[in-house]
Amino acid sequence: MSKKIKSTFYFFNSKSYIRIIVNIINMKKLLILLSAMLPLTSAIARTETVKSPNGQIVVTVSDDNGKPTYSIALNGVEFMQNSPLGLVTDFADLSQGLSITDVKTRSISQDYTVPTIKQPKVHYEANSAIVTFQRENKDALQVEWNISNRDVAFRYNILQPKNDFYASIVKEEATGFVVPEGSTTFLCPQMLPMTGFAGTAPSYETHYTADDATGKNGWNEGYTFPCLFRNGDKGWLLISETGVTSAYCGSRLLNVEGNSYKIGFPQEKENNGNGQVSPGVSLPFSTPWRTITLGKTLAPIVETTVAWDLVEEQYAASKEFVYGRGSWSWIMKMDPSCNYDEQKNYIDFSAAMGYQTVLIDAMWDTQIGYEKMEELVKYAASKNVGIYLWYNSNGYWNHAPQGPRGIMGRAINRKAEMKWLKDIGVRGLKIDFFGGDKQETMRLYEDILSDANDYGLNIIFHGCTLPRGWEKMYPNFVAAEAVRASENLFFGQAECDKEAFNATMHPFIRNTVGNMDFGGSALNKHWGFDGTRGNTRRTSDVFALATAVIFQSPVQHFALAPNNLEDAPEWAINFMKNVPTLWDEVKFIDGYPGKYVVMARRSGNKWYIVGINADEKPLSLTLNLADFDLGNTYSIYCDDAKLNSSLKQAKMTKKKTVKVSIPQNGGLVIM
Ligand code: CA
């Protein structure tokens, strides 16, 4: 912690200067003069710096011209230019006319466990500073900083302006992110409200553009979190937010101009126009955290735990929730497949694979019915298979017709349904088609999670927002879609053509801040029915295996089909039978979003080194295996130039290195 006073107008405080003035004018005139000169006091800028524990990240906070600002440097290299802080409430504009009046620092060292995330046991170390910005009438805003060796996080503490004032509206945030000049972007546009399928947007299901210029604003409505920027050849930064509960709204990133971005609240027309955009808060109040993960390489971004480091469990788990692999018919056979006989097939298929669950998707309420569902859940239990059931979240907030609907949006209906679900032994729910990011939708997510915990149900969200620390905050939360997921491979050939490109984005962006329910890893050659019709899969079988490891979620309903027991290579099926869904550690090895990724995950003492390539040019790499306890021989799954996949056994060399080549749309697994 260091401190610096820029005394540009220090003469104003000089007693002798005032004495001269008193000699030449009367008291009244002096008062007028003093008040006229008052704005000058704000030109006395106070600057504070907060550093990461290793001293490499330096955040500079200032009140220059009365405006709270910050900037970030990593090893002396600029990663965030001077950027605005503050917010505007209904009682005060807390983004200007403020001076730093107090700084409180402490160091944080804590251990925590979240069983479902990329690395369940986390040790978090950071330096914390609470910087108070105040003006003479005592209105104050605190900016609370937590700076680890790879993340900068901050949130606002809004204090009570007076004793009997307990509620406020946050009208807007000034919070900005001015990325370095020349940065390029890896962003996906925020969807426009009441667009998409049956008015279910925004649901975080747009395409990323890689290495794009700054100065654009998506589809005029900014971008969904998280947002990745490349600071030229100096490194990378990922901007996101965490700790959003029903006490605030979800935010997005808006472009102001050029390389300047800011926090945006939800769009007015979300939720069919119902619910306000500006969050209402109870005072005193702490906002969600804004997070910036940065590094010279992409390792801090792939390995970060910032989404969970800063948040607290909101309630205790009602039981020990279980996770694992499963299958679902809908991804290859769509709505008509949600019938009794097909689901029985998939239960048998999951049992044959040693999988724990089957997800029964939309329209089971009419195509199977409640009575037959009880039978089906019993049948599944007899095979040691649990059932996830799909629900529509609406409600009035979109036009999605699929049932069951009209249940999850209202506590009375929801709790009666959840009692039934618990009684018949359903494992969990996949709830789809939410209405946006307004505070009232955050309340719906939270209420569903809280009720489901009471009834011992796991929850997966689809057609939904990004989970913001929810894996730790709500212990029965499993994963969310919030990505252009596998269904789009069924819907369009263009999506299949770009499958590898999209897949190389997720470990650096969407999936690194939250469990991602993608529903992929198909071994059918075509997306549809028995795998002989439908869009052509462009990616190899090893690519499918690799993404089962790259895409992280504690529950994976893979896009496998019963016919794969007969028609897929035995080594691929064996791999898919045994691939873990709970991991202990993740390591970035190499990659470039949109081109390729090579990374490793550990489950127990087993490392899985996996890679995929989207680039036209085959990816040739020499991998150093010394860091991964592979023993004397290891298995290597790879593709030839024509994407013919195979499994080989290899002997560890003395150098503990291996040369690999991954063709476009191909994959690699070493274990
Ligand atoms: Ca979807």
Side-chain angles (χ1 to χ4, degrees), residues 205 432 462-463 481 483 485 487:
E205 294 176 286
D432 208 340
H462 261 241
E481 186 183 32
V483 66
E487 61 191 13

Side-chain angles (χ1 to χ4, degrees), residues 200 203 205 330 430 432-433 462-464 481-488 491 517:
T200 55
S203 51
E205 294 176 286
W330 187 87
K430 167 186 171 179
D432 208 340
F433 302 141
H462 261 241
C464 61
E481 186 183 32
V483 66
R484 254 187 103 78
S486 58
E487 61 191 13
N488 294 287
F491 296 148
D517 194 36

